[in-house]
Amino acid sequence: LGANVLLWMFWQASTMSTLVGLKWVFFVLGLLCLGLVLGTSFMIFAAARQSFLLKGTGAGDWVAQRITYLQMAFLPTWTAYMVLFVLSGEGACIAGEGVILPIA
C-alpha cells in the first residue's frame, strides 16, 4: 500500500511541477514505485492462481482462470497513466490537447 501511495504522489507531483528536470525526476520515482507495485501484485496473483489450481476441482480451475483475467486487466489499467502522461502536454507533449488518441 505504501508504494501505491508513493506512486500516485510522485506522479501527481510530476504533473504539477513547473520545472522540467524535477518533473521527470518525480516521474521516474513513480516508475520505480510502479515496478514495486506490479511485482508484488503479480506475485500475489501467481500464488492465488496456484493455490486454486492445486485444489484440483472444476471450481478451483474456474477461479484460477478468473484470476488470470484479472491479472490481464490489471497491467494495462495500471500502466495507462504512465503512457498518457508521456504523450500529453504535461509530459513530452507528443500529443497536444487538440489530438484525439484512438484507444481501441
Side-chain angles (χ1 to χ4, degrees):
L1 181 62
N4 183 15
V5 172
L6 285 173
L7 162 75
W8 292 107
M9 182 192 74
F10 283 136
W11 279 354
Q12 288 303 317
S14 177
T15 301
M16 294 185 289
S17 178
T18 56
L19 300 173
V20 176
L22 190 58
K23 173 186 304 253
W24 291 107
V25 168
F26 283 135
F27 183 74
V28 169
L29 289 172
L31 283 179
L32 294 174
C33 292
L34 176 65
L36 184 60
V37 168
L38 291 177
T40 303
S41 300
F42 283 110
M43 286 186 336
I44 292 170
F45 283 135
R49 186 175 46 248
Q50 186 65 24
S51 173
F52 281 104
L53 286 174
L54 288 176
K55 301 254 185 243
T57 64
D61 294 343
W62 184 85
V63 173
Q65 185 64 39
R66 295 312 177 269
I67 290 172
T68 302
Y69 294 154
L70 179 64
Q71 186 177 5
M72 290 176 0
F74 183 81
L75 182 63
T77 57
W78 275 78
T79 56
Y81 180 86
M82 171 188 60
V83 172
L84 293 175
F85 175 82
V86 170
L87 294 176
S88 74
E90 294 297 325
C93 200
I94 293 171
E97 291 181 17
V99 174
I100 298 174
L101 297 173
I103 305 213

